[in-house]
Amino acid sequence: MEAGNLLGFIPLNQSPQRLVRSPRFSAFPRTVTVTLTVNASLSSQGENRYKGPRPGRERIADWVSNNDDLVRSLPIYVGGLSLLAVLFNRTVSGIAPVADASRAWNSLSDVTCCRSLVIVYDGKCILQTGFAAASLSNEMDAVVVDTNKLIEGSLYLGVLKSALQSYLANLSLYPGKSQLPFLPSNTQAVILQPLGDKGMAIIGGDTIRGFTSDDQVWITLIGEKLDATLTKVI
């Protein structure tokens, strides 16, 4: 019971000084005691009233929310592992490496902005697929990759020397694009992926900065496994 409620029962003819001195109405500790007792009683009644199971936390939902970055990139890793399984199966089965590279093309074109793929290995162009630049002499023919000219260019030599992937996110800003005349004129982005120290995969996309960081990691993984496959055959 609050102090304001207690003061309501005091006769109006009593003076304020007498109200302050009166021991009868200065028992604030009793008010606190009553309040605590009531609260404890209500709490006790609440505990005794509900005896069902406590709601549990959703473990899967909690794990997803705590590992958001991993969950978002999981499809890329699953796709990469699936591709590696295909490459391994074809390697064991003795299928030609060009067929393996072709499966690398199907995967890339399905899940990324990749529209052109050229693979040069051990001084030879072993694969040119997707879209290509039209020949000046005959628009029905594609520009064939001049391997000798390509491997002497600064782009090719720079990638092999660094042994690291090179991402030309906006191809129009790079003067070295003239070294890739076999790519279609509307190519917007290019990834140059080294294949060990013997070759390179040239991946052209139709969107500026269209390859995501996950795409780049995935392509690096493909390059490493493709190099391992080609080394055994060529």
Side-chain angles (χ1 to χ4, degrees):
M1 182 178 293
E2 297 179 354
N5 294 335
L6 290 174
L7 292 176
F9 294 97
I10 299 175
L12 297 178
N13 58 358
Q14 294 184 7
S15 63
Q17 292 79 3
R18 185 175 181 181
L19 290 177
V20 174
R21 297 191 187 97
S22 175
R24 176 183 178 184
F25 300 106
S26 60
F28 287 100
R30 181 184 303 173
T31 303
V32 175
T33 302
V34 172
T35 303
L36 293 177
T37 302
V38 172
N39 290 342
S41 176
L42 291 176
S43 176
S44 176
Q45 290 177 1
E47 293 179 355
N48 294 332
R49 182 169 56 250
Y50 180 75
K51 297 183 178 180
R54 299 291 182 182
R57 302 182 63 184
E58 295 292 342
R59 295 184 178 180
I60 297 179
D62 291 342
W63 185 87
V64 171
S65 61
N66 294 331
N67 300 273
D68 184 66
D69 293 337
L70 176 61
V71 173
R72 290 179 182 274
S73 59
L74 191 58
I76 296 295
Y77 296 114
V78 172
L81 291 175
S82 300
L83 178 61
L84 293 180
V86 173
L87 293 176
F88 177 77
N89 178 65
R90 288 181 173 270
T91 301
V92 174
S93 302
I95 300 177
V98 174
D100 288 346
S102 177
R103 296 295 180 182
W105 157 251
N106 290 336
S107 300
L108 288 172
S109 60
D110 287 343
V111 300
T112 72
C113 69
C114 173
R115 297 296 176 265
S116 305
L117 175 62
V118 172
I119 295 180
V120 176
Y121 198 83
D122 198 24
K124 306 178 184 67
C125 179
I126 64 174
L127 179 68
Q128 181 180 10
T129 187
F131 292 93
S135 174
L136 295 178
S137 59
N138 186 354
E139 293 184 356
M140 299 301 295
D141 296 333
V143 174
V144 179
V145 178
D146 187 340
T147 307
N148 293 330
K149 187 176 181 179
L150 175 65
I151 61 180
E152 293 174 356
S154 59
L155 286 179
Y156 188 93
L157 294 175
V159 170
L160 288 189
K161 182 178 180 179
S162 66
L164 297 174
Q165 181 188 97
S166 178
Y167 180 27
L168 312 181
N170 189 349
L171 185 61
S172 62
L173 300 180
Y174 295 88
K177 66 179 181 179
S178 61
Q179 301 176 33
L180 308 171
F182 45 85
L183 294 179
S185 59
N186 65 342
T187 302
Q188 304 296 323
V190 171
I191 287 182
L192 305 175
Q193 174 61 46
L195 304 178
D197 57 356
K198 293 185 177 181
M200 184 170 65
I202 302 172
I203 304 164
D206 60 357
T207 306
I208 296 177
R209 291 181 290 275
F211 294 101
T212 66
S213 57
D214 287 336
D215 294 337
Q216 297 174 58
V217 173
W218 186 37
I219 290 172
T220 299
L221 182 62
I222 293 175
E224 294 174 353
K225 299 306 177 181
L226 191 56
D227 174 50
T229 302
L230 295 172
T231 301
K232 298 177 181 179
V233 182
I234 299 179

